[in-house]
């Protein structure tokens, strides 16, 4: 018989040996755990090594994604950033499932730049340092919308204006 025991000596789970590897199950309660092997026929027991410690790691704080908006077709790009950040975390800007840019947190606002010209919905995730690498989504998404430029039409009008003439008329061939 094998017993999973917490640091206070309470048996958390108990399983019979199967002569093969087995799982005690999934556990998330922080603490130090050890396994005791018990021969039920002889009452002999032995503690297995090593102990395992479950450490609960806080998720990165969720901040607001900033920027985006509407942009004229052919524009130079819109900024995307984050209202704040935590030092040591990696912030990744995503468009769908495509990684667009990453920044390391500074403890202040972050800018991913002003080069984003692709229309779509963008979101940001924060990832903690190894070995935990806990990931959290930031508070919101932003969109980039491309507004089309007006169509080009020909226009014409009087090219010459007589002195003291008060008006010139222009025409547009289509609208």
């Amino acid at each position: 018989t094998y017993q999973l025991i917490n640091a206070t000596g309470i048996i958390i789970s108990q399983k019979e040996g199967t002569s093969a590897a087995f799982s005690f199950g999934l556990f998330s309660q922080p603490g130090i755990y050890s396994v005791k092997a018990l021969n039920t026929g002889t009452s002999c027991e032995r503690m297995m090594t090593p102990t395992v410690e479950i450490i609960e790691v806080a998720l990165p704080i969720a901040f607001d994604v900033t920027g985006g908006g509407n942009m004229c077709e052919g524009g130079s790009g819109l900024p995307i950033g984050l209202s704040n950040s935590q030092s040591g975390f990696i912030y990744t800007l995503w468009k769908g499932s495509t990684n667009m840019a990453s920044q390391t947190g500074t403890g202040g606002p972050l800018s991913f730049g002003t080069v984003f010209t692709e229309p779509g919905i963008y979101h940001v995730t924060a990832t903690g340092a190894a070995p935990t690498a806990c990931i959290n989504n930031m508070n919101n998404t932003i969109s980039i919308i491309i507004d089309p430029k007006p169509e080009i039409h020909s226009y014409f009008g009087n090219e010459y204006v007589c002195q003291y003439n008060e008006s010139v008329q222009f025409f547009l061939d289509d609208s």
Side-chain angles (χ1 to χ4, degrees):
T1 301
Y2 295 89
Q3 298 172 333
L4 179 66
I5 302 169
N6 70 12
T8 61
I10 296 173
I11 298 170
I12 305 300
S13 181
Q14 183 169 303
K15 298 247 181 182
E16 294 300 319
T18 63
S19 297
F22 65 87
S23 171
F24 282 106
L26 299 173
F27 299 90
S28 60
Q29 182 66 38
I32 297 174
Y33 296 85
S34 56
V35 173
K36 183 194 305 185
L38 176 64
N39 183 327
T40 54
T42 64
S43 296
C44 293
E45 60 184 51
R46 173 177 273 173
M47 295 302 292
M48 304 283 128
T49 57
T51 60
V52 173
E53 183 174 10
I54 296 177
I55 301 169
E56 185 174 68
V57 178
L59 287 174
I61 296 170
F63 299 108
D64 292 331
V65 182
T66 60
N70 291 53
M71 175 179 88
C72 289
E73 178 182 8
S76 60
L78 291 171
I80 299 177
L82 203 57
S83 63
N84 206 350
S85 66
Q86 290 175 276
S87 296
F89 288 85
I90 303 296
Y91 293 88
T92 305
L93 174 66
W94 301 90
K95 180 179 175 264
S97 61
T98 303
N99 178 336
M100 302 298 287
S102 291
Q103 292 280 334
T104 301
T106 62
L110 290 181
S111 172
F112 292 102
T114 58
V115 295
F116 300 100
T117 59
E118 291 184 35
I121 298 171
Y122 293 77
H123 72 280
V124 176
T125 59
T127 305
T132 62
C134 294
I135 298 173
N136 197 16
N137 288 318
M138 297 296 99
N139 284 332
N140 57 308
T141 61
I142 59 97
S143 296
I144 291 181
I145 299 166
I146 306 299
D147 294 327
K149 291 181 180 178
E151 291 184 38
I152 296 175
H153 297 286
S154 297
Y155 65 94
F156 57 93
N158 298 333
E159 295 178 12
Y160 301 100
V161 176
C162 295
Q163 185 178 15
Y164 307 114
N165 192 354
E166 296 181 13
S167 63
V168 173
Q169 190 171 13
F170 282 94
F171 300 92
L172 190 61
D173 70 353
D174 194 8
S175 62

